[in-house]
Amino acid sequence: MSKRVGRALGVIGTALVSLVYALLLSVGATLWLPRGAGGVDHILYPVIMVPLVWLAVLLWLLGTRKRGRAFAMASLLSALSLGAVLANA
């Protein structure tokens, strides 16, 4: 496998991992963000947050030199969010 293909696969893998992180954080966001007056929080927060969190996490993971530490921190935040969701289920 060439160096270019390996790098492309690494970027695609990082994008998929960051998407999973964004989805987990957005699911948990309905628990720790305050409720709105309209009552559409469970629809609106994930629709707005998923692309923003996905982009932020993707750029963070691709932009850092200590990628292992960034993956560990994103995993910790996702685990906390998933724990909050499971605790309130």
Side-chain angles (χ1 to χ4, degrees), residues 70-87:
F71 273 109
M73 185 59 115
S75 297
L76 176 66
L77 292 173
S78 296
L80 288 173
S81 179
L82 184 61
V85 169
L86 293 176

Side-chain angles (χ1 to χ4, degrees), residues 13-25 50 54 57-58:
T14 303
L16 291 175
V17 167
S18 64
L19 177 62
V20 170
Y21 291 156
L23 290 173
L24 285 174
L25 286 174
V50 169
W54 185 22
V57 171
L58 180 63

Side-chain angles (χ1 to χ4, degrees), residues 10 29 31 41 43 60 63 67 73 78:
L31 298 173
D41 305 329
I43 297 170
W60 178 40
R67 194 170 288 175
M73 185 59 115
S78 296

